[in-house]
Amino acid sequence: MAFWWPLLVLLFAYAICRFLLMLIPPNVPSIDVDVSDVCNDEVNFGFKVRISSRDTGKTMIDASLGEIMTTCEKIHWLLSEGEKWLKPEYRSSGKSMLHKRSKVEYHPLGVIGAIVSWNYPFHNIFNPMLAAVFSGNGIVIKVSEHASWSGCFYFRIIQTALAAVGAPENLVDVITGFAETGEALVSSVDKIIFVGSPGVGKKIMRKASETLIPVTLELGGKDAFIVCEDVDVEHVAQVAVRAGLQSSGQNCAGAERFYVHRDVYNAFVAQVVKIVKSVTAGPPLAGKCDMGAICMQDHVEKLQSLVIDALDKGAEIAGRGRFGNLGTDAVDQFFPPTVLVNVNHSMLIMQEEAFGPIMPIMKVSSDEEAIRLANDSRFGLGCAVFSRSQSRARRIASQLHCGIAAINDFASNYMCQSLPFGGVKDSGFGRFAGIEGLRACCLVKSVVEDRWWPYVKTKIPKPIQYPVADHAFEFQQTLVETLYGLNIWDRLRALVNVIKVLTEHNSPSAGSSRRSD
């Protein structure tokens, strides 16, 4: 028995401390609200009302009964004297209840559908597959019609791996087809993941709206590459060329706009041109080359039109790479790496996603100008910022409207699969990889339960049990002040009033007086 007493005292002290901590209001700044013109428009006070002008002044009318509720002067009093009810402190709902325990559960959605592009056929299959399976879902992946062979090849590897661990053979499926196949897939799954163009992404969203399934879109980008004047030009130029020419520029997170400080602009351009001129584009099986083909033949024409538009508007070609070992039938599959200077934002090359080996380099005079120009885009996937001062590079990157940022590096985010990957604006929404990518494949469920069930149970206070008591509003008012008062003294005073209201109306005399009524 002697052992239980100290334990009970400690538990009681803990409960009192938790209760007192609950009474301490958060340190949130208050706001002032201008209500001088509140009577000129419709107002909502928890019921539908309208304000109308009468000879007797402006009045508030209950729309459900057509009766005048109160005059506008009374509304002014409510909003001025009751201004504290509008302060942010009263909107805080994050306080935990002493007798409750809360948690968040993540449940599989069911079957995930993924429609992926052709430019990285291996990763575009395995990335959504791993997220779906590791979060407990099955998945059906429609590969691009331009990557059907490789998609089926990888699917055989996946089937073998599933069989090796005893997983269901239909846990993952890979399908091929055209637009009709993708449309049917969107109509048949519990979530859709799409990697592709903004135009097709909008069609996916429209189709998904019919069944109201969640959507993740990764729609490409126009990533900015910002170079400050304090960098090692030779080092950054090598990174820049890799960022622009990797996969022949057919990279959603590739650098497509280069903003270089004027103090190092000429040196940077000279170094980039020197590197690009040494780059050979050609078929890798036919001999040594540095850069491969453009996968879509008609896309070469798009790239050429972007260059011509820039030249017509005043840009210049500072340097180009060369071809190597091309057969007569393969010329249209390749596009020489190209460096453009004297570019500006009136040119399509600075606005449209090129998805090719073109490096437009623009001179800037300050960090602020670089930030403004980088944000002047309908895309917002990633960015890269280079400066000897990491804090400066971080400050610049933090002001860019995009989903991923690399400081003194290029696209290293993609190598960190613990990080979420995705963009904003026309680059889409939602995230792959990381915790965010896994949870995006889940039903997020919040759960609250009694902490000491069945000894302490939820009970509706007597004044607000149906039918509500005459003093229900008074009780609710004091209870709200107890939980959300502006300071601890207001809350303690309101707590005393809550107890007072309960005891007064639960007394025998109060009960007999109500019965006599």
Side-chain angles (χ1 to χ4, degrees):
M1 188 64 178
F3 169 76
W4 289 106
W5 274 109
L7 184 60
L8 290 174
V9 170
L10 287 174
L11 288 174
F12 181 74
Y14 172 76
I16 293 295
C17 290
R18 285 291 301 269
F19 180 72
L20 291 176
L21 285 173
M22 186 179 69
L23 290 178
I24 299 176
N27 184 22
V28 179
S30 61
I31 59 174
D32 293 325
V33 180
D34 181 10
V35 297
S36 59
D37 59 346
V38 71
C39 293
N40 294 330
D41 301 303
E42 288 192 354
V43 199
N44 189 339
F45 286 100
F47 44 85
K48 188 175 181 181
V49 300
R50 64 184 176 87
I51 302 300
S52 62
S53 178
R54 302 281 178 87
D55 292 338
T56 56
K58 294 189 175 181
T59 57
M60 183 172 72
I61 299 176
D62 183 346
S64 63
L65 299 175
E67 297 177 353
I68 295 175
M69 299 291 294
T70 182
T71 63
C72 190
E73 285 72 21
K74 178 61 176 178
I75 297 176
H76 275 302
W77 180 86
L78 286 171
L79 292 176
S80 57
E81 295 298 321
E83 183 186 86
K84 60 182 180 178
W85 302 106
L86 299 175
K87 296 181 184 292
E89 290 90 338
Y90 287 90
R91 300 180 184 180
S92 171
S93 58
K95 293 184 176 300
S96 61
M97 293 176 283
L98 186 64
H99 64 296
K100 294 289 185 180
R101 179 170 53 235
S102 60
K103 62 179 178 180
V104 178
E105 295 178 348
Y106 298 91
H107 299 268
L109 287 173
V111 177
I112 307 296
I115 301 175
V116 298
S117 61
W118 48 263
N119 59 330
Y120 287 101
F122 176 85
H123 188 81
N124 285 341
I125 289 178
F126 277 76
N127 191 22
M129 181 195 72
L130 294 177
V133 172
F134 286 176
S135 53
N137 300 278
I139 186 169
V140 178
I141 306 169
K142 182 205 170 296
V143 296
S144 168
E145 59 270 26
H146 302 294
S148 297
W149 182 89
S150 59
C152 293
F153 174 76
Y154 295 137
F155 183 43
R156 287 195 287 271
I157 297 175
I158 293 169
Q159 288 178 310
T160 304
L162 292 174
V165 297
E169 62 178 9
N170 61 351
L171 184 64
V172 177
D173 202 356
V174 175
I175 60 176
T176 60
F178 296 93
E180 297 81 5
T181 305
E183 186 176 355
L185 180 61
V186 176
S187 303
S188 310
V189 294
D190 301 296
K191 174 187 170 70
I192 194 72
I193 297 172
F194 174 72
V195 181
S197 67
V200 178
K202 292 176 182 178
K203 294 179 180 179
I204 295 288
M205 284 193 67
R206 281 194 291 269
K207 189 64 180 178
S209 69
E210 297 177 4
T211 51
L212 293 178
I213 61 170
V215 178
T216 293
L217 300 178
E218 199 274 273
L219 306 178
K222 193 73 182 171
D223 288 10
F225 191 105
I226 296 177
V227 181
C228 297
E229 77 282 359
D230 57 354
V231 300
D232 179 344
V233 171
E234 185 175 348
H235 165 75
V236 176
Q238 279 287 352
V239 179
V241 174
R242 168 61 66 178
L245 306 187
Q246 182 170 299
S247 298
S248 302
Q250 299 164 113
N251 182 7
C252 59
E256 293 210 1
R257 295 177 294 151
F258 296 82
Y259 301 103
V260 181
H261 194 279
R262 62 184 180 185
D263 290 352
V264 293
Y265 179 82
N266 291 334
F268 180 83
V269 169
Q271 189 66 29
V272 166
V273 168
K274 177 183 176 182
I275 299 170
V276 167
K277 284 183 175 180
S278 69
V279 173
T280 301
L285 298 181
K288 181 184 181 302
C289 65
D290 306 291
M291 195 184 80
I294 301 299
C295 292
M296 305 293 116
Q297 281 190 350
D298 57 351
H299 191 61
V300 173
E301 298 178 4
K302 164 72 179 300
L303 296 176
Q304 188 61 36
S305 69
L306 292 175
V307 172
I308 292 173
D309 173 79
L311 296 177
D312 290 342
K313 294 175 181 177
E316 298 177 8
I317 295 178
R320 301 189 99 164
R322 58 181 183 270
F323 296 123
N325 303 306
L326 294 186
T328 56
D329 297 332
V331 174
D332 291 340
Q333 288 289 129
F334 294 87
F335 189 87
T338 303
V339 180
L340 293 176
V341 294
N342 297 333
V343 295
N344 59 63
H345 277 219
S346 71
M347 303 172 183
L348 296 179
I349 190 63
M350 298 300 284
Q351 296 295 334
E352 296 184 6
E353 182 178 29
F355 219 59
I358 304 174
M359 298 180 63
I361 308 177
M362 188 170 178
K363 184 187 301 183
V364 295
S365 301
S366 64
D367 294 354
E368 290 70 28
E369 183 183 11
I371 293 168
R372 177 178 60 81
L373 291 170
N375 287 332
D376 180 26
S377 173
R378 61 190 181 94
F379 292 99
L381 182 56
C383 71
V385 183
F386 288 79
S387 171
R388 285 189 186 274
S389 169
Q390 282 195 286
S391 61
R392 179 185 180 185
R394 283 195 298 266
R395 180 183 60 80
I396 295 173
S398 68
Q399 299 178 68
L400 302 184
H401 302 160
C402 58
I404 58 177
I407 306 299
N408 290 318
D409 202 351
F410 155 68
S412 53
N413 315 66
Y414 215 63
M415 304 301 294
C416 303
Q417 287 294 293
S418 59
L419 291 176
F421 181 89
V424 296
K425 299 191 283 190
D426 275 15
S427 290
F429 55 83
R431 294 295 181 266
F432 302 137
I435 295 175
E436 294 80 0
L438 291 174
R439 290 178 176 174
C441 294
C442 296
L443 165 66
V444 182
K445 181 183 295 185
S446 60
V447 180
V448 179
E449 60 183 344
D450 290 311
R451 189 182 298 273
W452 297 298
W453 175 268
Y455 306 105
V456 177
K457 303 178 183 179
T458 297
K459 184 178 179 181
I460 305 298
K462 187 70 175 177
I464 57 175
Q465 291 182 7
Y466 290 119
V468 295
D470 294 339
H471 61 291
F473 180 80
E474 179 186 0
F475 171 77
Q476 286 280 62
Q477 186 179 33
T478 54
L479 183 61
V480 169
E481 289 187 12
T482 302
L483 296 174
Y484 301 106
L486 294 179
N487 57 66
I488 191 170
W489 304 115
D490 287 346
R491 295 187 178 196
L492 288 173
R493 193 179 302 111
L495 177 61
V496 172
N497 290 335
V498 168
I499 298 172
K500 183 178 179 182
V501 169
L502 289 174
T503 55
E504 285 181 351
H505 291 275
N506 286 335
S507 63
S509 59
S512 61
S513 64
R514 286 196 299 272
R515 284 193 296 272
S516 63
D517 292 340

